[in-house]
Amino acid sequence: MPGSHLPLMEEGMARWPFGPPNAGIALDFTGVPPALEELRALVGDRWKALPRLTQTLVAPGGPRTGLPWWTGRHRWARRDGHDLGRQVDEADGTLRDAVRLWFHTPFPADRPPWSLHLLRGSAEGEFSLLFRMHHSLLDGRSLTTLLRALFDDGGPLDGAASLAVPGPRRRTVRPAPSAGAPPGLLTAGRAVPLPHRGTREPAYTVVRLRTDVLRAAREAASARTATTNEVFLATVSGVLRSCLSAAEAAPPATGTVSGGDRGRGRDPGREPGQVWLSVPVDERPDDCGEFLGNAFANVRVPAPVTLSDPAARLTACTGLLTPVTRPRRTSEKLFEGTLAAVPGATMALAGGKIFAPSYAPAACSYVHLREQGQTLAGRPLRRLTIVPMVPPADTATFALGGCTRGHTLSVATNSGSQDADLLAEAFLDELTLLAERTP
């Protein structure tokens, strides 16, 4: 609610130590770009009843090194009557240009921490809408709710539904029988060395996935057609396996990524320790689907890097993200409330573990729009691309964006300027290898 302190997840993102906690989604359309005033009017009509979009983020008082910063909490402040059209602008350039400029720049403290950019791009007859946000404000499900409302078959969003905070019942993931018990909150696993190529700095890249290859990869499962998310996890696991292989086959400073264990030295499966993937899971029950805010939990699932066969890795990923809805346990609410009461101390004590590469060397996020016929003022949607936050040092984020026209993969790293491109190429290699295993 406006004026309230941030819950634990949002407070943690407000204190993100690797750069501004900015994230977003880009929607690419075919057609002549709309006029800026037309877009502002559409935003004003469809989002006018949403208090979340008029709030500003207020940091704890005092310098970041002082006691108030460590003991205080961020809060939301009301900006009643704020004109949403002021948050919409336009620019020439590509998504890469925007990410390089905007996603590493903090939002001003005196305005709501989000913006919608009309990108005219470099090709005639194409344009993009890029929604940029401070991640404490919204999560991926909130973004798809907002952006769907702008489509021609959408309508104004309901303010009361947007404030309907998920109650005692939450969606979560039921552990697959083959995966064993989930890891403890601070249980470490095995780090995976990334390529570390180029200047040590954040990097971001985007590649398109071939629809026929993705479809064939889904057929590689032994028991049933796999979900796109299961293929996604299995392919990322293959990339991490190839990273381990490359690091073991080459001197420490010259490791590279190669798909399918090409050039492998020792089998990476011989090393001890489980490799974990971090996956955000939407916690909204069915009756809170339009809630705007952050209602997700990061769960860790095992990456089957010990398996050399891509189809076997896909089978191992089957059922890892089976959702169930259950009441929140009293112990869970008490634990979260205790940690949220002293967020600075919590981050200081836990940050060294939860941000370490051994905790989760890769995060995997999948956002999709399944509806047919998505158009904006008659202009058809052709692609959805995710821009994740800058990940923790020496880790990678793989983000899959999907719509009825196809899928794109975004990769963000914080280990080397060439690493995002190398890992994206490795993902395409691994996906092709999996598709070739189709029975």
Side-chain angles (χ1 to χ4, degrees):
M1 292 291 292
S4 63
H5 288 107
L6 273 61
L8 180 61
M9 177 67 76
E10 294 177 6
E11 183 69 36
M13 288 185 289
R15 295 170 178 269
W16 194 248
F18 306 102
N22 299 339
I25 290 181
L27 300 180
D28 297 340
F29 294 90
T30 301
V32 178
L36 182 60
E37 289 308 314
E38 178 185 359
L39 183 59
R40 285 173 172 166
L42 182 64
V43 166
D45 175 60
R46 303 291 174 86
W47 297 352
K48 61 186 176 184
L50 306 178
R52 188 80 175 181
L53 298 185
T54 64
Q55 297 176 142
T56 58
L57 185 62
V58 180
R64 289 176 177 254
T65 55
L67 182 61
W69 171 259
W70 293 109
T71 59
R73 296 169 64 180
H74 289 75
R75 62 181 177 86
W76 295 113
R78 289 180 178 274
R79 285 287 301 272
D80 293 335
H82 180 74
D83 179 10
L84 297 184
R86 294 175 56 194
Q87 308 290 115
V88 183
D89 63 20
E90 63 180 333
D92 293 323
T94 65
L95 178 61
R96 282 177 179 265
D97 296 331
V99 171
R100 190 178 303 114
L101 174 63
W102 293 321
F103 281 86
H104 300 285
T105 304
F107 284 96
D110 60 348
R111 57 168 283 181
W114 67 272
S115 53
L116 183 66
H117 306 285
L118 173 61
L119 302 181
R120 298 187 178 277
S122 55
E124 188 172 350
E126 297 179 354
F127 67 95
S128 300
L129 293 185
L130 172 61
F131 190 102
R132 182 173 71 114
M133 65 180 185
H134 189 296
H135 210 327
S136 292
L137 183 73
L138 302 166
D139 59 11
R141 175 69 180 272
S142 300
L143 274 184
T144 57
T145 297
L146 286 173
L147 295 172
R148 279 189 181 98
L150 297 181
F151 292 151
D152 292 341
D153 59 354
L157 293 173
D158 182 76
S162 74
L163 296 173
V165 179
R169 293 181 61 78
R170 300 291 180 91
R171 291 176 74 252
T172 186
V173 169
R174 180 176 62 211
S178 59
L185 179 63
L186 298 180
T187 300
R190 181 181 178 191
V192 174
L194 299 183
H196 295 292
R197 298 288 293 275
T199 306
R200 189 177 182 85
E201 63 185 14
Y204 171 77
T205 196
V206 177
V207 294
R208 285 199 213 182
L209 305 188
R210 283 177 48 185
T211 302
D212 59 329
V213 173
L214 182 58
R215 185 184 303 113
R218 293 184 59 194
E219 300 294 334
S222 58
R224 60 167 174 80
T225 299
T227 67
T228 300
N229 220 353
E230 290 166 349
V231 168
F232 181 34
L233 297 180
T235 307
V236 171
S237 298
V239 173
L240 298 184
R241 179 180 171 87
S242 67
C243 286
L244 291 166
S245 299
E248 292 165 357
T254 60
T256 59
V257 175
S258 57
D261 295 340
R262 290 187 290 274
R264 186 182 72 208
R266 294 183 293 117
D267 189 331
R270 296 179 184 176
E271 295 294 331
Q274 176 65 61
V275 173
W276 299 105
L277 300 175
S278 177
V279 183
V281 174
D282 179 27
E283 290 190 309
R284 293 167 177 79
D286 292 340
D287 59 349
C288 294
E290 294 187 14
F291 167 72
L292 297 183
N294 282 278
F296 74 96
N298 284 316
V299 302
R300 286 190 294 163
V301 297
V305 298
T306 61
L307 302 176
S308 60
D309 179 49
R313 290 196 291 270
L314 179 57
T315 298
C317 290
T318 300
L320 286 182
L321 297 178
T322 303
V324 296
T325 301
R326 63 167 177 80
R328 292 187 74 199
R329 301 184 182 96
T330 301
S331 59
E332 293 173 329
K333 293 185 284 187
L334 179 62
F335 181 70
E336 181 176 325
T338 301
L339 296 182
V342 284
T346 297
M347 292 289 290
L349 293 173
K353 283 187 173 289
I354 64 176
F355 296 140
S358 58
Y359 189 80
C364 299
S365 180
Y366 180 29
V367 175
H368 52 90
L369 296 170
R370 290 196 174 113
E371 297 85 353
Q372 295 283 343
Q374 300 144 331
T375 59
L376 179 78
R379 302 155 175 95
L381 175 69
R382 62 189 179 91
R383 195 160 49 242
L384 181 155
T385 303
I386 304 173
V387 184
M389 292 195 304
V390 174
D394 300 322
T395 72
T397 296
F398 296 82
L400 190 63
C403 64
T404 56
R405 300 285 292 274
H407 288 76
T408 63
L409 175 77
S410 303
V411 181
T413 62
N414 199 359
S415 53
S417 58
Q418 300 176 37
D419 283 11
D421 288 328
L422 291 170
L423 293 176
E425 292 170 7
F427 184 97
L428 296 178
D429 287 346
E430 294 291 340
L431 184 64
T432 300
L433 288 170
L434 180 57
E436 292 171 350
R437 297 299 197 277
T438 303

